[in-house]
Amino acid sequence: MVRTAAKTTSRIATHMGIAFALTWLMTGSAALGGLAAVIEPIINVALLPLHEKAWHALARLARTARQRMLALGLEKLSQTGLHIAVAFGVMAWASGSLAFGGLAALIEPVLNVIVLPFHDRLWDRFGKSGHKETEQHHQHENERNGAYPGQTLVA
């Protein structure tokens, strides 16, 4: 549970870092970068539960597996559109430029799609190595405590 919270916090920080870096690079202002990095996630966090609630209500109307899959695909497209709209709105508001808003709406989601899978792979790799070390420690402890082969004294 602690690992999941740490991974989620790291994921949010990565997303905020991308928003900050993109805004800073486009405007040259660290203040606007910080503003975008804070405001965009807050708006997304506020809107996503409402978005999910609406789509789950629609998904309940689906009768077949094919309709459920279609609803899920449309939900993900709609969620992407929501993120794009929020990125556009925040950047256009912060910079006063529709061009910067449009550029952010195109680039920020793409950067997240590229960077976040690498982030998750690193966390998965980190988790596997920690799990392997724990298993080896438990095996060593069981052998040291005189366990028969296949018997577990330390779980």
Side-chain angles (χ1 to χ4, degrees), residues 137-147 153-154:
H137 174 72
H138 287 179
Q139 182 180 1
H140 175 71
E141 286 295 310
N142 285 326
E143 290 170 2
R144 191 172 68 85
N145 291 323
L153 298 177
V154 177

Side-chain angles (χ1 to χ4, degrees), residues 22-92:
L22 179 61
T23 305
W24 177 59
L25 287 171
M26 286 180 15
T27 65
S29 170
L32 287 179
L35 190 64
V38 172
I39 290 177
E40 191 226 356
I42 289 172
I43 293 172
N44 280 325
V45 166
L47 292 178
L48 281 175
L50 300 172
H51 180 268
E52 287 180 6
K53 184 177 180 180
W55 276 99
H56 286 257
L58 287 172
R60 280 187 288 239
L61 299 175
R63 301 281 182 235
T64 65
R66 184 180 197 143
Q67 289 173 341
R68 286 188 293 276
M69 289 300 291
L70 178 62
L72 179 63
L74 291 173
E75 177 188 359
K76 296 305 172 190
L77 284 173
S78 175
Q79 188 177 26
T80 301
L82 178 67
H83 280 337
I84 289 170
V86 169
F88 172 81
V90 168
M91 178 56 92

